[in-house]
Amino acid sequence: MSFFNFSLKNHLLRHLQVMLFSLGQLWRQPISSLMTIIVIGIALALPAGLYILLHNVDKVSGQWDDATQISLFIEKNTSSDRAYALNKELQKWPEIKETIYQSSSQSLEEFRQSSGLGALLDSLPSNPLPAVIIIHPAENNLREDAIGSLLARLESLPEVGLAQLDMEWLQRLRSLNKTAQRGITILGLLLSLSVLLIIGNTIRLAILNRESEIRVIKLVGGTDAFIRRPFLYTGFWYGLLGGMTAWMTILISMGLLNGPINELSKLYGSQFTLNWLAGSLFLTLPTIGLCLGILGAGLAVSRHLKAIEPQ
Amino acid sequence: MINFSEVYKRYPNNYEALSGLSFHLQEGEMAFLTGHSGAGKSTLLKLIALIERASHGQVIVNNQNLTRLPKRKIPYYRRQIGIVFQDHNLLQDRTVFDNVALPLIIAGEKHREIGRRVRAALDKVGLLGKERNLPIALSGGEQQRVGIARAVVNRPPILLADEPTGNLDPELSREIMQLFEQFKQVGTTVFIATHDMDLIQTLPYRQITLDSGRLAERGL
C-alpha cells in the first residue's frame, strides 16, 4: 500500500514536472506563444460573445411576456350589456388570465386624452369607436400555436368584429433569435475546429523542431507516452491560456458596451442591465479551450510522432 | 549475450547489407567490429539496437529474441543497451547534467537517485566539474565522454559504440578506449564498431571483421 502511494506520488510529481516544463517552453518563445494564444482567444471569444448577446435579447424579450395581449373589437351593433356579459364569460375561460373591458365611451375618452383631437371628436354625430376587451392569455398559453388557436376561437365569436394579437412582432423576434442561436452554434463549431487546427499545427511545428531530440529519447528507451506527454501539455497550456484570453476579451468588450447600453435602457424606462455571464464563462471558456488544446495536440502527435524513428 | 545466427538484412532496393551472418558475444566480453565502410557495421549495430529488424535469421540479445519482440516493448529493451555515437547525439540546449540524466528520467527514477547516479557517471568519465555546462562549451573529446556517461548512467548490461573515436586524435582515442575497458572490467558486455586499426591492434580483444555483409575473419 505504501509502495502504491509512493509510486502514485512519484507519477503525479513527474506529470507536474512535465506540465511546468511545457509552460516554461512557451515562456521561452513569448512572442510566438502569445500570438497563438491570442488567435485561439479571439476564435473562442467570437461565438461566446454572440452567445451573450443573444442570451440578453432572450432576457429582454422575456420581460415582455406579460405584454402579450389580444384586443377584441366588439361589433358596433352589439349592446353594451351584451358586451359586458361577454367580458364576464371570457374571464371564466381557462386560457385567459384576465380581461379588461373598455366601453365605447371609455375608448372615446381615452382617445380624446391621448390624441388631443377632442374638438374634432365633439363634432362627430356619434361615437365611432367600438367597445374593446383586452385579453391577457394565461401564462401556460403563451406558445405560438396556443395563442393562434385562442385567437381563432375569439374571432369566431359573433359579437367580435376583430381579434388582434398585439405582439406578433415579439414572436417574430423570438423566432429570429432562435435562428440566430442555430447560426451561432454552427459558427462556434467551425471556430472550435479552427482552434483545433491552429493548436494541431503549432504542435506539429514543435514536434518538427525537436525531431533530433525525439530520436535521441527513443534511442535511450523513451516510450511513446513519455515523448507524447510534453506536447499534450503544450496543447493543454495553449488551450487553457487561449480560453482565459477569450474570457478577458469578452469582459473588456462588455465593459465597453455596458455604459451605452445602460443609457439606452434608461431612455426606454427599462430595468434592463447587461448580463455578462462572467461567472459561467469563466469556467466554460478555459475548459472548452483546454479540451480543444489536448485534442488538437493529441491529433498532431499521433500523426507526426510515428514518422520520427532513430536512423 | 549477443547472438546472431544466419542473419540477413535486405533493404527495399534489394541491397543486401548482411548475408548469413553468425557470431556470438559472451557476457562480459569486449570486442571490436571492424571492416570497410559499407561492409555492414552500421547495419549490424542497428539490428542490435532494434532500429532495424533482420529480414531473415535470429538475433538474440540478453536472452530476448529480437525478431519476435513487439514494437511496444522496444523502449524497455533499449534501456538494457547503452549506445555511444560518433557524433555524440547530445541535446545541445540542455546542460551536461540534463543530458546524462535523460535515461534515468525516462526510466522514472527518483529525483535524489538521479542526482547521485549522474554525478557518479560524470565522475567516472572525469567531467564532474562540468555538469552545468552546455555541450557546445566542451571539446570534442569531452562531448564524447558526456555521451559515454549518458550510455552507462543506468548501468546497462550491454554497451554499444559506433566509431566512438572517429573524430578524436590518437591520445584522446586511447583515453576513450581505456574508459571502455573499465566498463568491461565491471562486467559490461562492450561492442565497439571502429576502423581505427592502429589503436585496436594494441588491445587484447576479439575483432569481428565484416566484408560485404559476411564474417571475414576472427582475430585473436
Side-chain angles (χ1 to χ4, degrees):
Chain A
M1 191 61 203
S2 72
F3 170 76
F4 174 76
N5 275 339
F6 170 74
S7 107
L8 185 70
K9 195 179 136 202
N10 211 19
H11 192 75
L12 289 177
L13 199 68
R14 231 175 298 151
H15 268 269
L16 192 70
Q17 277 171 348
V18 177
M19 208 169 150
L20 294 177
F21 172 78
S22 307
L23 186 62
Q25 291 234 316
L26 294 195
W27 188 251
R28 261 182 259 172
Q29 296 173 322
I31 304 286
S32 72
S33 301
L34 202 66
M35 285 202 299
T36 308
I37 288 167
I38 288 174
V39 169
I40 295 166
I42 291 170
L44 289 176
L46 200 58
L50 289 172
Y51 174 77
I52 291 178
L53 221 62
L54 273 198
H55 176 86
N56 279 294
V57 170
D58 235 18
K59 202 179 103 184
V60 174
S61 64
Q63 286 179 347
W64 294 327
D65 263 353
D66 275 357
T68 304
Q69 58 179 40
I70 298 171
S71 304
L72 291 186
F73 297 95
I74 304 300
E75 285 281 6
K76 201 83 187 82
N77 54 15
T78 309
S79 71
S80 61
D81 284 353
R82 178 68 203 113
Y84 193 73
L86 177 66
N87 179 42
K88 284 276 169 219
E89 204 175 303
L90 287 176
Q91 279 174 353
K92 289 178 196 141
W93 286 24
E95 299 97 319
I96 292 171
K97 190 166 80 178
E98 58 174 340
T99 65
I100 298 163
Y101 176 70
Q102 191 176 315
S103 70
S104 61
S105 50
Q106 279 171 323
S107 298
L108 186 67
E109 196 52 40
E110 192 191 87
F111 186 67
R112 191 196 301 278
Q113 279 171 8
S114 61
S115 69
L117 296 172
L120 182 69
L121 287 172
D122 286 342
S123 71
L124 289 173
S126 68
N127 179 0
L129 297 175
V132 179
I133 300 174
I134 294 162
I135 290 174
H136 290 278
E139 261 146 36
N140 55 5
N141 236 32
L142 285 170
R143 283 195 13 254
E144 206 169 334
D145 48 342
I147 289 271
S149 69
L150 177 62
L151 197 64
R153 266 183 79 192
L154 291 169
E155 208 148 34
S156 67
L157 293 171
E159 297 88 346
V160 174
L162 176 69
Q164 188 182 324
L165 181 64
D166 292 338
M167 287 291 162
E168 268 176 343
W169 66 270
L170 183 62
Q171 285 171 336
R172 289 193 189 129
L173 177 71
R174 285 201 185 131
S175 101
L176 206 66
N177 202 354
K178 243 180 250 167
T179 313
Q181 258 166 11
R182 187 71 48 91
I184 285 173
T185 309
I186 293 169
L187 185 74
L189 287 175
L190 286 176
L191 286 170
S192 298
L193 187 68
S194 71
V195 169
L196 213 62
L197 294 177
I198 291 163
I199 292 178
N201 196 45
T202 311
I203 299 295
R204 184 182 67 89
L205 289 177
I207 291 172
L208 294 182
N209 268 335
R210 295 172 63 195
E211 200 175 324
S212 58
E213 183 178 341
I214 292 170
R215 287 218 169 86
V216 171
I217 292 174
K218 282 196 174 181
L219 270 177
V220 297
T223 57
D224 285 351
F226 179 88
I227 297 168
R228 214 179 291 136
R229 214 171 286 150
F231 294 111
L232 291 183
Y233 273 115
T234 306
F236 164 90
W237 284 119
Y238 273 129
L240 182 69
L241 295 173
M244 285 162 72
T245 308
W247 183 72
M248 283 192 297
T249 309
I250 286 173
L251 224 59
I252 292 168
S253 312
M254 291 298 150
L256 291 175
L257 280 175
N258 203 29
I261 284 183
N262 279 345
E263 214 158 291
L264 193 70
S265 121
K266 212 181 288 167
L267 286 177
Y268 275 88
S270 161
Q271 297 292 307
F272 177 74
T273 53
L274 202 57
N275 185 351
W276 300 19
L277 297 176
S280 63
L281 283 180
F282 180 64
L283 286 177
T284 316
L285 279 175
T287 307
I288 290 175
L290 73 87
C291 287
L292 288 173
I294 293 174
L295 192 63
L299 289 174
V301 165
S302 69
R303 271 201 48 166
H304 298 284
L305 223 50
K306 262 185 230 133
I308 302 173
E309 281 293 335
Q311 289 160 346
Chain B
M1 200 59 168
I2 299 176
N3 199 348
F4 275 55
S5 53
E6 287 297 307
V7 172
Y8 288 81
K9 176 64 188 178
R10 204 169 289 121
Y11 286 102
N13 59 5
N14 260 343
Y15 172 69
E16 201 168 72
L18 296 177
S19 320
L21 179 69
S22 301
F23 73 92
H24 182 73
L25 230 68
Q26 299 289 332
E27 184 172 349
E29 188 180 354
M30 176 158 166
F32 294 109
L33 179 63
T34 59
H36 302 291
S37 35
K41 292 186 305 243
S42 302
T43 304
L44 197 156
L45 291 184
K46 281 180 188 171
L47 292 186
I48 298 176
L50 258 186
I51 294 166
E52 282 171 4
R53 291 196 194 241
S55 315
H56 255 290
Q58 265 195 344
V59 182
I60 295 173
V61 177
N62 203 10
N63 299 321
Q64 290 149 99
N65 188 340
L66 300 195
T67 16
R68 291 209 212 104
L69 199 76
K71 203 165 185 282
R72 68 194 152 77
K73 286 195 177 162
I74 291 178
Y76 303 99
Y77 163 75
R78 285 194 184 134
R79 291 177 197 178
Q80 305 161 29
I81 302 174
I83 309 177
V84 178
F85 305 89
Q86 178 174 7
D87 51 4
H88 331 309
N89 261 343
L90 300 178
L91 305 180
Q92 295 300 328
D93 59 343
R94 311 284 177 85
T95 62
V96 167
F97 183 97
D98 288 346
N99 266 286
V100 177
L102 190 61
L104 300 175
I105 292 170
I106 284 168
E109 281 294 342
K110 278 172 277 171
H111 190 70
R112 210 177 323 130
E113 184 73 5
I114 290 174
R116 202 178 62 74
R117 289 230 232 151
V118 169
R119 272 183 280 278
L122 284 174
D123 188 29
K124 188 104 188 155
V125 300
L127 288 175
L128 197 49
K130 310 236 172 176
E131 51 182 272
R132 292 284 144 228
N133 288 40
L134 288 177
I136 198 85
L138 304 182
S139 71
E142 286 173 328
Q143 289 193 36
Q144 189 56 286
R145 284 194 251 162
V146 175
I148 294 172
R150 183 182 66 191
V152 300
V153 73
N154 59 344
R155 300 186 198 126
I158 298 169
L159 187 57
L160 295 183
D162 188 7
E163 304 282 1
T165 61
N167 299 327
L168 302 180
D169 62 44
E171 186 60 34
L172 284 171
S173 299
R174 197 158 301 125
E175 281 177 33
I176 296 287
M177 280 306 168
Q178 280 165 6
L179 212 48
F180 282 121
E181 285 185 278
Q182 285 175 25
F183 293 116
K184 179 223 172 331
Q185 276 154 20
V186 295
T188 309
T189 307
V190 183
F191 198 22
I192 302 168
T194 180
H195 57 241
D196 194 347
M197 298 308 285
D198 292 345
L199 177 59
I200 64 174
Q201 296 304 355
T202 67
L203 297 168
Y205 304 111
R206 179 146 71 111
Q207 292 173 26
I208 293 172
T209 306
L210 293 183
D211 184 17
S212 313
R214 292 165 214 275
L215 219 52
E217 60 184 277
R218 285 180 183 221
L220 212 82

